[in-house]
Amino acid sequence: ACALGARKAKRTQRVQRKAVEKRFPVLTRSEPPLGKFPKMPETVHPGVVSGQALVDLLNHAKENGYAIPAVNCVSSSSINACIEAARKMDAPIMIQFSSGGSQFYAGKGLDNTEFHAAIAGAVSGAYHVRAVAEQYGVPVILHTDHCAKSLLPWFDGLLEADERYFELHGEPLFSSHMLDLSEEPLEENIEICVKYMERMAKINCGLEMELGITGGEEDGVNNEDANPEDLYSKPEEIFQVYDALSKIPNGFFTVAAAFGNVHGVYQPGNVVLKPTILDQAQKYISEKIGAPEGSKPVSFVFHGGSGSDIKDIREAVDYGVVKMNIDTDTQWSYWSGIKDFEKKYHDYLQKQIGNPEGEEKPNKKYYDPRACIRSAEESTVTRMEQCFEDLRCVSVLGLGPPAKPENVMGPRRVVATAPMTRPVLTIVLGGRTSPKT
C-alpha cells in the first residue's frame, strides 16, 4: 500500500509539473503532457487532444450541460484570437478548417490541383495550432469541417497526414474530421462513413458526420433553396447512423443532425429551429438500445450557430449538443475590428508621412499590419466571450483567470503631445565642435 501511495504521489507531481510546463510539442520527441485540470477528466491535457482525451472531453461536456464552440479559421491570427478567448474564459475550444479556408491558409497563389493547396494549408494550420495551443494552456480539438463527396481527395490527403503523424507520435495530426455526405442517399452516406471510420479508428481519430441539410450558404456551398423537409432529420434516420457507426471497434463519432439549421445570419423569423428533434432522437435511440430513461447516447453537433436565439442554443445543449459551429459571426467580428481601427485612426492611415499632429509626422505605427490585425483579434475575442457564455462553456477547466502576458512586443502607437525636434549631432573636428542636424 505504501509503495502504491508513493507511486501515485510521484505521478501526481509529474502530472502537475507538466500541466504548467510550457514547451513546443512540435519540436520535441518527448511524450505529450498529461496536464491535470481541476474540473476535467485526467486524460484531458493542455494542447491538442485526441483519442481517449477527445472522447472524455466531449462526454464531459454532454454530462455537464455545456457545449464547445468550434470556429472556422483561415489564418494564424484568427487561430490565436480563438485560443486566447478560450484561455480567458477558462474553457476548451475547437479550431477547424474548411476546404476553402485550408486553401486560403496555404495561399491563393498556390495551385490547388487535386486539392494539394487545401491539403497543405490544413496541415500547416494544424502544425500552427499544435505549436501554440499548449502554450495557452487549454485543451484544443483540432478538426476539419464540411467535406462533400466531391472533396474526398482532400479528406484522403488529410488522413494520410494523420497516419504519418501517428507513426511518429502515437496520435493523429487532427483530433477529428467531418464527412458531409448529406446530399447523398442516406444508405450511401452511412456506407462511406463506415468505410472511413474503420480506417480512422485505427489511429484514434474521431469522425463527425452529417445527415439532413444545413441551409444557407457557406464557403461556396449554397443550400439556400434546399427542400424544407431536408432541413429536419428524423429519429429513425439518426438511429440508422448510430447503429452502423457504434459497431466499429475503437470508433468515436458525433452527428450533425438537421433541426432547421442555416449557415449565415438572417432576419428573425426566417430560420425555424426545432431542437426537440434532438430530444426525440435521444429518446428513440435509448429505447432501441435499452438505455435508461434520460440517457443521451448520441453526441450531437449544432451547425449554423451564428445568429441563433439563445433559447434554441441552450435547449439544443440540453438535448446532447457538445459542439456548436460559429463562423459568420466571427468573420464579422474580425472585420469589425479592422473597420473600427480604420475609423479611429483614419487621418493617420492616408499616407506614410503627415497626420493631424504635423506634416512631418510618420504613420508607420498605424499602418503596420500588426496594429489593425490586433484590433481584429481583440474584437474576435470579445465576440467569442459571448459564444462561450451562450454555450455555458465558462470556467469549466478550473484554471481561473489568465496571468497578464509579459514581454509583449510592438507595434506601439505613441501620440506625441509636442512637436518633435531633429536631434543635434556634435562632431569634433581638430579640437573644434561642429553641430550637424
Side-chain angles (χ1 to χ4, degrees), residues 20-36:
V20 298
E21 183 183 64
K22 291 188 175 183
R23 58 185 180 82
F24 296 94
V26 172
L27 306 178
T28 181
R29 292 183 178 180
S30 57
E31 63 185 23
L34 293 175
K36 189 172 182 179

Side-chain angles (χ1 to χ4, degrees), residues 170-352:
E171 64 175 320
L173 177 60
F174 289 86
S175 310
S176 54
H177 298 285
M178 179 190 183
L179 279 174
D180 179 3
L181 304 172
S182 55
E183 294 184 347
E184 314 305 324
L186 181 59
E187 291 72 19
E188 182 180 359
N189 183 348
I190 294 174
E191 180 183 351
I192 296 175
C193 285
V194 167
K195 171 188 170 186
Y196 274 103
M197 192 170 164
E198 288 174 342
R199 178 180 174 185
M200 297 166 72
K202 296 175 183 177
I203 55 172
N204 301 324
C205 189
L207 172 70
E208 176 186 331
M209 71 83 62
E210 179 168 346
L211 73 159
I213 291 177
T214 302
E217 189 275 335
E218 181 183 52
D219 205 25
V221 179
N222 194 324
N223 288 325
E224 291 178 316
D225 297 324
N227 185 338
E229 290 186 4
D230 294 335
L231 299 179
Y232 303 96
S233 300
K234 299 177 179 61
E236 297 82 2
E237 296 171 335
I238 300 172
F239 174 68
Q240 282 184 258
V241 172
Y242 178 87
D243 185 53
L245 296 184
S246 60
K247 294 176 180 176
I248 299 172
N250 199 45
F252 178 73
F253 64 95
T254 56
V255 178
F259 56 99
N261 320 59
V262 174
H263 288 135
V265 176
Y266 298 87
Q267 289 291 337
N270 286 3
V271 178
V272 181
L273 292 176
K274 298 180 180 179
T276 52
I277 288 176
L278 306 181
D279 183 41
Q280 292 165 7
Q282 298 283 28
K283 291 176 179 176
Y284 181 86
I285 295 171
S286 294
E287 184 178 347
K288 281 284 188 180
I289 64 176
E293 185 177 349
S295 297
K296 300 174 187 174
V298 183
S299 295
F300 283 118
V301 171
F302 187 157
H303 278 239
S306 293
S308 297
D309 186 273
I310 181 65
K311 177 180 177 296
D312 292 327
I313 293 174
R314 295 275 176 86
E315 187 177 357
V317 172
D318 289 338
Y319 297 148
V321 162
V322 296
K323 167 205 173 193
M324 185 180 84
N325 287 11
I326 176 171
D327 184 21
T328 305
D329 281 357
T330 47
Q331 288 176 343
W332 175 255
S333 66
Y334 197 91
W335 157 246
S336 182
I338 295 174
K339 176 174 67 70
D340 293 345
F341 178 88
E342 193 282 332
K343 182 178 180 180
K344 183 176 181 179
Y345 298 107
H346 177 83
D347 293 339
Y348 296 81
L349 297 168
Q350 303 310 303
K351 49 189 176 181
Q352 286 187 290

Side-chain angles (χ1 to χ4, degrees), residues 352-371:
Q352 286 187 290
I353 299 174
N355 59 48
E357 298 170 34
E359 287 300 319
E360 295 184 353
K361 297 287 187 178
N363 295 314
K364 178 174 172 56
K365 291 176 182 176
Y366 298 93
Y367 64 75
D368 184 321
R370 290 174 294 176

Side-chain angles (χ1 to χ4, degrees), residues 43-56:
T43 55
V44 180
H45 56 77
V48 174
V49 296
S50 62
Q52 192 60 47
L54 169 66
V55 175
D56 291 346

